[in-house]
Amino acid sequence: MKVLCKVENELRDEDNKGLVIMDLNIILLGPPGCGKGTQAKMLTEQYKIPQVSTGDILREALKKETAMGLKAKSYMDSGKLVPDEVVIGIIQDRLKQSDCQKGFILDGFPRTVVQAEALDKTLKDMGKKIEHSISIDVDDEELLGRLTGRRTCRSCGAMYHVLFNPSKKEGVCDACSGELYQRDDDKEETISNRLNIYKQQTAPLIDYYKKKDILRLVTGTGKIENIFKRIKDVLK
Ligand code: AP5
Ligand code: MG
């Protein structure tokens, strides 16, 4: 009889021949600023599976002024959710790409029950499923402080915070020397809209995944590395 042990993102048999039995398909759930992007980047490094962020894909489309990007702009600028059919289409295309076949980290999707149901159907058609939906919990006051101080690299997307995680040189990315910028939707008024929308439209997903028995709750306060360790413990 085989005893299974978990190595990184793969389940292997006991003599460690590298028999891959299970993919690692994860959702990072949580309010704006809880650290989904920060943790997704670290998980990508650790498990060698891609981060799939609908926010990043939409911002990229906006930068390139594609029809989809221009359509999304007014929603994003005011902190509202982009219509379900737009983001569901993005995810259906993205998950079919070859780099997602051994696993993926969904960051910022799903955000409504309609999106979650569409994801379930898409994955079922592909013979896949979500193993863990990790909800990162942070209170509103801390979220506001994190979002107003966030800076992002225009070139490589690395994330910083002016107080909690500053770059070595102000305005310059440590990793690639790219320019750091503040996101348009990180203004105080827009942040409060985003937090309200999270509570109304996205928080119901906590119950959705609880009922499926794949909800994992992680405290999102404290040092970034400690939160990363908590998430890895959940995945063990
Ligand atoms: P999106 O880009 O997904 O933004 P969000 O969910 O609002 O989340 P954020 O990216 O703001 O925060 P985060 O949780 O990634 O935190 P981060 O790691 O950056 O969406 C933007 C918009 O796109 C939406 O409003 C909507 O319009 C549209 N959209 C996207 N997806 C959609 C969908 N599925 N459906 C419909 N519309 C969609 O961390 C934040 C800051 O805190 C950083 O500065 C970081 O350095 C710092 N930080 C992180 N961890 C810690 C820590 N432990 N201690 C101190 N500081 C920390
Ligand atoms: Mg993010």
Side-chain angles (χ1 to χ4, degrees):
M1 194 179 102
K2 284 185 173 169
V3 179
L4 297 175
C5 62
K6 194 150 194 196
V7 181
E8 297 296 322
N9 66 326
E10 298 171 351
L11 282 176
R12 296 172 186 256
D13 57 7
E14 61 178 344
D15 46 5
N16 203 18
K17 281 185 180 147
L19 173 69
V20 180
I21 299 171
M22 201 174 142
D23 300 338
L24 191 60
N25 304 328
I26 323 170
I27 294 172
L28 292 183
L29 192 65
C34 72
K36 300 182 294 295
T38 304
Q39 297 296 329
K41 285 191 171 49
M42 295 166 83
L43 290 165
T44 289
E45 286 275 305
Q46 173 87 30
Y47 296 102
K48 314 292 177 216
I49 50 174
Q51 169 192 13
V52 176
S53 158
T54 37
D56 287 351
I57 295 170
L58 289 166
R59 278 184 289 279
E60 193 56 32
L62 187 55
K63 201 163 103 187
K64 290 182 179 152
E65 300 190 340
T66 66
M68 181 180 76
L70 295 172
K71 184 174 178 191
K73 183 177 168 26
S74 62
Y75 296 97
M76 295 175 81
D77 283 351
S78 57
K80 288 187 191 141
L81 294 184
V82 172
D84 285 333
E85 65 274 15
V86 176
V87 282
I88 289 169
I90 291 175
I91 286 294
Q92 286 172 336
D93 291 345
R94 183 65 186 89
L95 294 185
K96 283 183 196 136
Q97 289 172 19
S98 59
D99 62 333
C100 291
Q101 301 319 307
K102 282 265 163 272
F104 50 78
I105 303 155
L106 287 175
D107 159 9
F109 185 96
R111 261 173 145 103
T112 63
V113 172
V114 170
Q115 291 179 22
E117 288 169 347
L119 175 66
D120 286 345
K121 182 170 184 318
T122 302
L123 291 177
K124 193 171 174 209
D125 292 347
M126 295 169 76
K128 294 180 184 291
K129 65 181 172 64
I130 297 293
E131 274 90 39
H132 306 279
S133 183
I134 301 170
S135 173
I136 307 176
D137 186 41
V138 178
D139 66 56
D140 283 6
E141 199 182 327
E142 172 138 1
L143 293 172
L144 186 66
R146 286 188 187 183
L147 291 171
T148 46
R150 170 169 53 192
R151 298 293 181 270
T152 310
C153 176
R154 270 195 208 286
S155 309
C156 73
M159 221 108 61
Y160 298 89
H161 189 281
V162 290
L163 298 176
F164 310 137
N165 182 25
S167 59
K168 290 190 185 107
K169 191 173 169 199
E170 199 187 323
V172 180
C173 177
D174 293 346
C176 75
S177 302
E179 183 203 353
L180 301 186
Y181 79 104
Q182 182 169 29
R183 263 170 52 176
D184 286 342
D185 58 351
D186 280 347
K187 295 182 203 100
E188 219 167 303
E189 192 192 298
T190 317
I191 292 171
S192 117
N193 285 343
R194 287 162 64 200
L195 290 175
N196 284 335
I197 285 175
Y198 172 80
K199 283 172 195 156
Q200 288 159 19
Q201 301 196 45
T202 309
L205 292 181
I206 292 176
D207 243 18
Y208 181 90
Y209 289 113
K210 201 183 212 169
K211 283 187 188 135
K212 291 183 180 285
D213 212 16
I214 54 169
L215 181 75
R216 322 284 178 231
L217 293 171
V218 168
T219 303
T221 44
K223 287 188 176 162
I224 290 173
E225 309 82 65
N226 292 346
I227 298 158
F228 184 51
K229 187 174 176 305
R230 282 174 213 149
I231 295 178
K232 282 194 294 181
D233 284 346
V234 158
L235 300 178
K236 267 181 197 159

PDB file of all heavy atoms in Angstrom, residues 90-113:
ATOM      1  N   ILE A  90     -12.600  36.583 -19.172  1.00  0.00           N
ATOM      2  CA  ILE A  90     -11.139  36.689 -18.975  1.00  0.00           C
ATOM      3  C   ILE A  90     -10.606  35.409 -18.337  1.00  0.00           C
ATOM      4  O   ILE A  90      -9.619  34.823 -18.778  1.00  0.00           O
ATOM      5  CB  ILE A  90     -10.803  37.886 -18.036  1.00  0.00           C
ATOM      6  CG1 ILE A  90     -11.088  39.228 -18.716  1.00  0.00           C
ATOM      7  CG2 ILE A  90      -9.356  37.820 -17.562  1.00  0.00           C
ATOM      8  CD1 ILE A  90     -10.895  40.440 -17.809  1.00  0.00           C
ATOM      9  N   ILE A  91     -11.287  34.964 -17.286  1.00  0.00           N
ATOM     10  CA  ILE A  91     -10.801  33.792 -16.534  1.00  0.00           C
ATOM     11  C   ILE A  91     -10.917  32.526 -17.378  1.00  0.00           C
ATOM     12  O   ILE A  91     -10.010  31.675 -17.374  1.00  0.00           O
ATOM     13  CB  ILE A  91     -11.588  33.672 -15.196  1.00  0.00           C
ATOM     14  CG1 ILE A  91     -11.106  34.743 -14.230  1.00  0.00           C
ATOM     15  CG2 ILE A  91     -11.456  32.287 -14.575  1.00  0.00           C
ATOM     16  CD1 ILE A  91      -9.666  34.607 -13.765  1.00  0.00           C
ATOM     17  N   GLN A  92     -12.003  32.390 -18.109  1.00  0.00           N
ATOM     18  CA  GLN A  92     -12.156  31.174 -18.937  1.00  0.00           C
ATOM     19  C   GLN A  92     -11.009  31.067 -19.940  1.00  0.00           C
ATOM     20  O   GLN A  92     -10.461  29.989 -20.146  1.00  0.00           O
ATOM     21  CB  GLN A  92     -13.514  31.185 -19.640  1.00  0.00           C
ATOM     22  CG  GLN A  92     -14.637  30.869 -18.664  1.00  0.00           C
ATOM     23  CD  GLN A  92     -16.030  31.048 -19.232  1.00  0.00           C
ATOM     24  OE1 GLN A  92     -16.212  31.820 -20.189  1.00  0.00           O
ATOM     25  NE2 GLN A  92     -17.002  30.373 -18.659  1.00  0.00           N
ATOM     26  N   ASP A  93     -10.636  32.190 -20.542  1.00  0.00           N
ATOM     27  CA  ASP A  93      -9.510  32.170 -21.493  1.00  0.00           C
ATOM     28  C   ASP A  93      -8.189  31.868 -20.789  1.00  0.00           C
ATOM     29  O   ASP A  93      -7.384  31.074 -21.257  1.00  0.00           O
ATOM     30  CB  ASP A  93      -9.373  33.521 -22.212  1.00  0.00           C
ATOM     31  CG  ASP A  93     -10.531  33.749 -23.164  1.00  0.00           C
ATOM     32  OD1 ASP A  93     -11.245  32.774 -23.466  1.00  0.00           O
ATOM     33  OD2 ASP A  93     -10.731  34.915 -23.580  1.00  0.00           O
ATOM     34  N   ARG A  94      -7.981  32.529 -19.651  1.00  0.00           N
ATOM     35  CA  ARG A  94      -6.687  32.430 -18.957  1.00  0.00           C
ATOM     36  C   ARG A  94      -6.428  31.015 -18.424  1.00  0.00           C
ATOM     37  O   ARG A  94      -5.318  30.497 -18.517  1.00  0.00           O
ATOM     38  CB  ARG A  94      -6.670  33.466 -17.813  1.00  0.00           C
ATOM     39  CG  ARG A  94      -5.376  33.561 -17.030  1.00  0.00           C
ATOM     40  CD  ARG A  94      -4.239  34.069 -17.895  1.00  0.00           C
ATOM     41  NE  ARG A  94      -2.961  34.028 -17.190  1.00  0.00           N
ATOM     42  CZ  ARG A  94      -2.142  32.972 -17.197  1.00  0.00           C
ATOM     43  NH1 ARG A  94      -2.451  31.891 -17.874  1.00  0.00           N
ATOM     44  NH2 ARG A  94      -0.994  33.014 -16.552  1.00  0.00           N
ATOM     45  N   LEU A  95      -7.472  30.394 -17.870  1.00  0.00           N
ATOM     46  CA  LEU A  95      -7.261  29.072 -17.249  1.00  0.00           C
ATOM     47  C   LEU A  95      -6.985  27.972 -18.277  1.00  0.00           C
ATOM     48  O   LEU A  95      -6.488  26.907 -17.933  1.00  0.00           O
ATOM     49  CB  LEU A  95      -8.458  28.680 -16.363  1.00  0.00           C
ATOM     50  CG  LEU A  95      -8.671  29.549 -15.125  1.00  0.00           C
ATOM     51  CD1 LEU A  95      -9.800  29.007 -14.263  1.00  0.00           C
ATOM     52  CD2 LEU A  95      -7.396  29.663 -14.282  1.00  0.00           C
ATOM     53  N   LYS A  96      -7.298  28.274 -19.534  1.00  0.00           N
ATOM     54  CA  LYS A  96      -7.023  27.270 -20.580  1.00  0.00           C
ATOM     55  C   LYS A  96      -5.557  27.291 -21.010  1.00  0.00           C
ATOM     56  O   LYS A  96      -5.096  26.382 -21.685  1.00  0.00           O
ATOM     57  CB  LYS A  96      -7.901  27.544 -21.800  1.00  0.00           C
ATOM     58  CG  LYS A  96      -9.324  27.071 -21.580  1.00  0.00           C
ATOM     59  CD  LYS A  96     -10.177  27.283 -22.807  1.00  0.00           C
ATOM     60  CE  LYS A  96     -11.644  27.162 -22.426  1.00  0.00           C
ATOM     61  NZ  LYS A  96     -12.475  28.183 -23.019  1.00  0.00           N
ATOM     62  N   GLN A  97      -4.820  28.352 -20.626  1.00  0.00           N
ATOM     63  CA  GLN A  97      -3.434  28.459 -21.094  1.00  0.00           C
ATOM     64  C   GLN A  97      -2.543  27.410 -20.408  1.00  0.00           C
ATOM     65  O   GLN A  97      -2.835  26.961 -19.300  1.00  0.00           O
ATOM     66  CB  GLN A  97      -2.925  29.885 -20.872  1.00  0.00           C
ATOM     67  CG  GLN A  97      -3.599  30.850 -21.855  1.00  0.00           C
ATOM     68  CD  GLN A  97      -3.307  32.301 -21.577  1.00  0.00           C
ATOM     69  OE1 GLN A  97      -2.351  32.637 -20.898  1.00  0.00           O
ATOM     70  NE2 GLN A  97      -4.163  33.171 -22.091  1.00  0.00           N
ATOM     71  N   SER A  98      -1.450  27.059 -21.099  1.00  0.00           N
ATOM     72  CA  SER A  98      -0.668  25.888 -20.664  1.00  0.00           C
ATOM     73  C   SER A  98      -0.077  26.057 -19.269  1.00  0.00           C
ATOM     74  O   SER A  98       0.019  25.094 -18.511  1.00  0.00           O
ATOM     75  CB  SER A  98       0.430  25.605 -21.677  1.00  0.00           C
ATOM     76  OG  SER A  98       1.250  26.737 -21.775  1.00  0.00           O
ATOM     77  N   ASP A  99       0.299  27.286 -18.886  1.00  0.00           N
ATOM     78  CA  ASP A  99       0.949  27.448 -17.576  1.00  0.00           C
ATOM     79  C   ASP A  99      -0.002  27.215 -16.403  1.00  0.00           C
ATOM     80  O   ASP A  99       0.445  27.102 -15.266  1.00  0.00           O
ATOM     81  CB  ASP A  99       1.607  28.837 -17.461  1.00  0.00           C
ATOM     82  CG  ASP A  99       0.598  29.966 -17.563  1.00  0.00           C
ATOM     83  OD1 ASP A  99      -0.452  29.782 -18.205  1.00  0.00           O
ATOM     84  OD2 ASP A  99       0.852  31.039 -16.994  1.00  0.00           O
ATOM     85  N   CYS A 100      -1.298  27.144 -16.667  1.00  0.00           N
ATOM     86  CA  CYS A 100      -2.265  26.918 -15.572  1.00  0.00           C
ATOM     87  C   CYS A 100      -2.598  25.443 -15.387  1.00  0.00           C
ATOM     88  O   CYS A 100      -3.389  25.103 -14.495  1.00  0.00           O
ATOM     89  CB  CYS A 100      -3.567  27.681 -15.835  1.00  0.00           C
ATOM     90  SG  CYS A 100      -3.391  29.461 -15.719  1.00  0.00           S
ATOM     91  N   GLN A 101      -2.018  24.582 -16.203  1.00  0.00           N
ATOM     92  CA  GLN A 101      -2.473  23.186 -16.183  1.00  0.00           C
ATOM     93  C   GLN A 101      -1.996  22.400 -14.968  1.00  0.00           C
ATOM     94  O   GLN A 101      -2.573  21.386 -14.617  1.00  0.00           O
ATOM     95  CB  GLN A 101      -2.098  22.467 -17.494  1.00  0.00           C
ATOM     96  CG  GLN A 101      -2.687  23.127 -18.748  1.00  0.00           C
ATOM     97  CD  GLN A 101      -4.142  23.597 -18.537  1.00  0.00           C
ATOM     98  OE1 GLN A 101      -4.995  22.818 -18.113  1.00  0.00           O
ATOM     99  NE2 GLN A 101      -4.425  24.875 -18.799  1.00  0.00           N
ATOM    100  N   LYS A 102      -0.937  22.876 -14.292  1.00  0.00           N
ATOM    101  CA  LYS A 102      -0.464  22.182 -13.076  1.00  0.00           C
ATOM    102  C   LYS A 102      -0.905  22.915 -11.807  1.00  0.00           C
ATOM    103  O   LYS A 102      -0.463  22.605 -10.699  1.00  0.00           O
ATOM    104  CB  LYS A 102       1.072  22.094 -13.082  1.00  0.00           C
ATOM    105  CG  LYS A 102       1.596  21.023 -13.987  1.00  0.00           C
ATOM    106  CD  LYS A 102       1.855  19.744 -13.196  1.00  0.00           C
ATOM    107  CE  LYS A 102       1.989  18.534 -14.067  1.00  0.00           C
ATOM    108  NZ  LYS A 102       0.701  17.910 -14.335  1.00  0.00           N
ATOM    109  N   GLY A 103      -1.720  23.954 -11.978  1.00  0.00           N
ATOM    110  CA  GLY A 103      -2.206  24.696 -10.822  1.00  0.00           C
ATOM    111  C   GLY A 103      -2.184  26.193 -11.080  1.00  0.00           C
ATOM    112  O   GLY A 103      -1.558  26.653 -12.048  1.00  0.00           O
ATOM    113  N   PHE A 104      -2.876  26.936 -10.216  1.00  0.00           N
ATOM    114  CA  PHE A 104      -2.948  28.395 -10.352  1.00  0.00           C
ATOM    115  C   PHE A 104      -3.411  29.011  -9.043  1.00  0.00           C
ATOM    116  O   PHE A 104      -4.000  28.329  -8.195  1.00  0.00           O
ATOM    117  CB  PHE A 104      -3.901  28.784 -11.501  1.00  0.00           C
ATOM    118  CG  PHE A 104      -5.235  28.095 -11.422  1.00  0.00           C
ATOM    119  CD1 PHE A 104      -6.211  28.531 -10.542  1.00  0.00           C
ATOM    120  CD2 PHE A 104      -5.498  26.974 -12.206  1.00  0.00           C
ATOM    121  CE1 PHE A 104      -7.432  27.885 -10.452  1.00  0.00           C
ATOM    122  CE2 PHE A 104      -6.715  26.305 -12.117  1.00  0.00           C
ATOM    123  CZ  PHE A 104      -7.684  26.767 -11.240  1.00  0.00           C
ATOM    124  N   ILE A 105      -3.115  30.301  -8.914  1.00  0.00           N
ATOM    125  CA  ILE A 105      -3.549  31.058  -7.730  1.00  0.00           C
ATOM    126  C   ILE A 105      -4.478  32.155  -8.221  1.00  0.00           C
ATOM    127  O   ILE A 105      -4.030  33.090  -8.903  1.00  0.00           O
ATOM    128  CB  ILE A 105      -2.334  31.706  -7.030  1.00  0.00           C
ATOM    129  CG1 ILE A 105      -1.303  30.643  -6.647  1.00  0.00           C
ATOM    130  CG2 ILE A 105      -2.780  32.508  -5.802  1.00  0.00           C
ATOM    131  CD1 ILE A 105       0.099  31.186  -6.537  1.00  0.00           C
ATOM    132  N   LEU A 106      -5.740  32.047  -7.913  1.00  0.00           N
ATOM    133  CA  LEU A 106      -6.681  33.090  -8.334  1.00  0.00           C
ATOM    134  C   LEU A 106      -6.645  34.223  -7.314  1.00  0.00           C
ATOM    135  O   LEU A 106      -6.853  33.997  -6.120  1.00  0.00           O
ATOM    136  CB  LEU A 106      -8.095  32.519  -8.445  1.00  0.00           C
ATOM    137  CG  LEU A 106      -8.349  31.604  -9.641  1.00  0.00           C
ATOM    138  CD1 LEU A 106      -9.750  31.011  -9.565  1.00  0.00           C
ATOM    139  CD2 LEU A 106      -8.166  32.353 -10.954  1.00  0.00           C
ATOM    140  N   ASP A 107      -6.375  35.437  -7.790  1.00  0.00           N
ATOM    141  CA  ASP A 107      -6.250  36.616  -6.926  1.00  0.00           C
ATOM    142  C   ASP A 107      -7.289  37.634  -7.399  1.00  0.00           C
ATOM    143  O   ASP A 107      -7.154  38.204  -8.474  1.00  0.00           O
ATOM    144  CB  ASP A 107      -4.800  37.129  -7.048  1.00  0.00           C
ATOM    145  CG  ASP A 107      -4.622  38.584  -6.640  1.00  0.00           C
ATOM    146  OD1 ASP A 107      -5.559  39.196  -6.100  1.00  0.00           O
ATOM    147  OD2 ASP A 107      -3.512  39.113  -6.873  1.00  0.00           O
ATOM    148  N   GLY A 108      -8.344  37.808  -6.620  1.00  0.00           N
ATOM    149  CA  GLY A 108      -9.371  38.802  -6.990  1.00  0.00           C
ATOM    150  C   GLY A 108     -10.495  38.222  -7.835  1.00  0.00           C
ATOM    151  O   GLY A 108     -11.320  38.965  -8.354  1.00  0.00           O
ATOM    152  N   PHE A 109     -10.529  36.942  -7.988  1.00  0.00           N
ATOM    153  CA  PHE A 109     -11.614  36.235  -8.689  1.00  0.00           C
ATOM    154  C   PHE A 109     -11.830  34.909  -7.994  1.00  0.00           C
ATOM    155  O   PHE A 109     -10.837  34.231  -7.698  1.00  0.00           O
ATOM    156  CB  PHE A 109     -11.261  35.991 -10.163  1.00  0.00           C
ATOM    157  CG  PHE A 109     -12.393  35.365 -10.941  1.00  0.00           C
ATOM    158  CD1 PHE A 109     -13.270  36.154 -11.679  1.00  0.00           C
ATOM    159  CD2 PHE A 109     -12.597  33.990 -10.913  1.00  0.00           C
ATOM    160  CE1 PHE A 109     -14.327  35.579 -12.374  1.00  0.00           C
ATOM    161  CE2 PHE A 109     -13.659  33.413 -11.601  1.00  0.00           C
ATOM    162  CZ  PHE A 109     -14.520  34.215 -12.336  1.00  0.00           C
ATOM    163  N   PRO A 110     -13.077  34.488  -7.739  1.00  0.00           N
ATOM    164  CA  PRO A 110     -14.324  35.193  -8.022  1.00  0.00           C
ATOM    165  C   PRO A 110     -14.620  36.270  -6.968  1.00  0.00           C
ATOM    166  O   PRO A 110     -14.068  36.248  -5.884  1.00  0.00           O
ATOM    167  CB  PRO A 110     -15.369  34.074  -7.935  1.00  0.00           C
ATOM    168  CG  PRO A 110     -14.774  33.087  -6.971  1.00  0.00           C
ATOM    169  CD  PRO A 110     -13.286  33.148  -7.162  1.00  0.00           C
ATOM    170  N   ARG A 111     -15.532  37.170  -7.352  1.00  0.00           N
ATOM    171  CA  ARG A 111     -15.912  38.261  -6.454  1.00  0.00           C
ATOM    172  C   ARG A 111     -17.420  38.356  -6.277  1.00  0.00           C
ATOM    173  O   ARG A 111     -17.890  39.222  -5.540  1.00  0.00           O
ATOM    174  CB  ARG A 111     -15.435  39.579  -7.063  1.00  0.00           C
ATOM    175  CG  ARG A 111     -14.145  40.089  -6.483  1.00  0.00           C
ATOM    176  CD  ARG A 111     -13.767  41.256  -7.321  1.00  0.00           C
ATOM    177  NE  ARG A 111     -13.129  42.289  -6.587  1.00  0.00           N
ATOM    178  CZ  ARG A 111     -11.820  42.493  -6.626  1.00  0.00           C
ATOM    179  NH1 ARG A 111     -11.036  41.680  -7.277  1.00  0.00           N
ATOM    180  NH2 ARG A 111     -11.307  43.517  -5.996  1.00  0.00           N
ATOM    181  N   THR A 112     -18.151  37.517  -6.962  1.00  0.00           N
ATOM    182  CA  THR A 112     -19.608  37.447  -6.780  1.00  0.00           C
ATOM    183  C   THR A 112     -19.988  35.960  -6.839  1.00  0.00           C
ATOM    184  O   THR A 112     -19.202  35.141  -7.358  1.00  0.00           O
ATOM    185  CB  THR A 112     -20.381  38.166  -7.908  1.00  0.00           C
ATOM    186  OG1 THR A 112     -20.088  37.495  -9.143  1.00  0.00           O
ATOM    187  CG2 THR A 112     -20.016  39.636  -8.041  1.00  0.00           C
ATOM    188  N   VAL A 113     -21.191  35.661  -6.354  1.00  0.00           N
ATOM    189  CA  VAL A 113     -21.636  34.264  -6.402  1.00  0.00           C
ATOM    190  C   VAL A 113     -21.776  33.813  -7.862  1.00  0.00           C
ATOM    191  O   VAL A 113     -21.425  32.678  -8.208  1.00  0.00           O
ATOM    192  CB  VAL A 113     -22.950  34.096  -5.597  1.00  0.00           C
ATOM    193  CG1 VAL A 113     -23.537  32.707  -5.807  1.00  0.00           C
ATOM    194  CG2 VAL A 113     -22.696  34.338  -4.117  1.00  0.00           C
TER     195      VAL A 113
END
